[in-house]
Amino acid sequence: MTKILLIEDDNRLSAFIQKGLEEHLYSVTSISTGYEALAITQDISFDLIILDIMLPDISGFQICLALRERKITTSIIILSALDTTEEKIKGLQAGADDYLGKPFHFEELLARINAQIRRKSFEQGITDSQKYADLEINMAEQSASRAGKTLFLSPREYKLLLFLLKNRERVVTRTQIAEAVWDIHFNTHTNVVDVYINYLRNKIDKGFQFSLIHTVKGRGYLFKHKEE
């Protein structure tokens, strides 16, 4: 069961969020202060953290910074009434993965939680350093190379490559790619997946002995070492 840490000092709001998430089969631990958050995250590993900014002791920004300094990579969603662009930027720069202003719709919070969990789930399939055929991924450095040649990838291309590598040797649909890499539902009128597949092909396949990305007509794409 996915474990969520909820850090919120408004008891009514905290109870509302916890009840809603538990109805969706999440395990929720609720606390109300920043120092509690720093203490509990030393002993327990959570899958996701929902964090208020205006807490009674220390700010959510300080908590974010402290967790990231401790190399805790758990996804953090800030949930705050401080909803200006400046505050959002400050939260993301402090290490948050997402920022949702109050008041909010529970369905949107749930969707953002699910998006973060999807993102983490496919990243967990990649070790710090992994090889496939003549391709090598270094997660710590967020770099990639093929046959010893460094591949210069944009952040989105790198995320797409990670998804394909985790799902290697099985067909993935455009919908699966869009939801995992862009956190969106696929729109049949959008060719963004095909465009980025072509970008990636030009960087990891063009000029090499064999291709790794293959089109499966009517189904999607296959990442596989397959001699031409």
Side-chain angles (χ1 to χ4, degrees):
M1 182 177 290
T2 300
K3 295 189 297 183
I4 295 178
L5 176 63
L6 173 61
I7 311 164
E8 171 62 63
D9 65 331
D10 182 327
N11 292 333
R12 291 181 62 185
L13 179 58
S14 179
F16 166 74
I17 295 173
Q18 181 168 356
K19 181 176 183 294
L21 292 178
E22 288 176 346
E23 287 176 352
H24 285 81
L25 304 181
Y26 289 111
S27 172
V28 181
T29 299
S30 297
I31 56 177
S32 59
T33 69
Y35 288 122
E36 285 181 281
L38 296 179
I40 196 171
T41 50
Q42 286 189 355
D43 301 320
I44 301 174
S45 177
F46 293 93
D47 298 297
L48 184 132
I49 296 171
I50 301 172
L51 174 63
D52 187 19
I53 293 299
M54 296 184 290
L55 297 169
D57 48 2
I58 58 176
S59 79
F61 297 132
Q62 292 174 284
I63 295 169
C64 260
L65 288 168
L67 293 178
R68 296 316 188 206
E69 286 174 359
R70 282 160 45 186
K71 307 301 182 185
I72 293 176
T73 59
T74 304
S75 295
I76 300 173
I77 298 177
I78 289 178
L79 188 62
S80 175
L82 300 176
D83 196 26
T84 66
T85 299
E86 291 76 14
E87 298 292 345
K88 290 179 179 178
I89 292 171
K90 186 176 179 180
L92 296 172
Q93 289 178 336
D97 297 279
D98 200 354
Y99 197 118
L100 180 60
K102 299 175 183 176
F104 63 95
H105 293 289
F106 179 78
E107 291 76 12
E108 182 177 1
L109 174 61
L110 186 64
R112 291 179 184 235
I113 290 170
N114 290 336
Q116 290 299 324
I117 290 171
R118 281 199 306 271
R119 181 177 65 81
K120 284 291 184 182
S121 69
F122 84 76
E123 287 181 355
Q124 287 169 358
I126 308 294
T127 59
D128 284 346
S129 181
Q130 182 161 329
K131 293 182 178 180
Y132 179 75
D134 57 352
L135 176 74
E136 184 171 3
I137 298 284
N138 188 314
M139 286 292 291
E141 298 178 358
Q142 293 200 345
S143 62
S145 62
R146 182 163 183 195
K149 180 181 177 182
T150 300
L151 304 174
F152 297 97
L153 306 177
S154 71
R156 190 71 66 180
E157 291 165 349
Y158 182 76
K159 191 173 182 179
L160 175 58
L161 178 58
L162 288 182
F163 178 76
L164 294 174
L165 183 58
K166 181 187 175 183
N167 293 280
R168 59 189 176 272
E169 299 185 6
R170 60 184 178 189
V171 177
V172 289
T173 67
R174 290 171 175 82
T175 300
Q176 290 172 318
I177 295 172
E179 289 183 350
V181 180
W182 279 268
D183 295 331
I184 60 173
H185 294 293
F186 184 65
N187 184 335
T188 54
H189 300 292
T190 299
N191 67 343
V192 65
V193 172
D194 302 300
V195 168
Y196 271 83
I197 286 287
N198 286 332
Y199 288 162
L200 194 57
R201 272 180 165 153
N202 285 332
K203 293 183 178 182
I204 75 165
D205 281 344
K206 191 174 181 180
F208 291 97
Q209 185 177 2
F210 55 88
S211 297
L212 292 171
I213 301 175
H214 307 274
T215 301
V216 181
K217 190 173 180 180
R219 296 177 63 193
Y221 294 100
L222 174 66
F223 192 83
K224 183 175 182 179
H225 174 195
K226 186 167 64 173
E227 298 287 351
E228 297 295 338

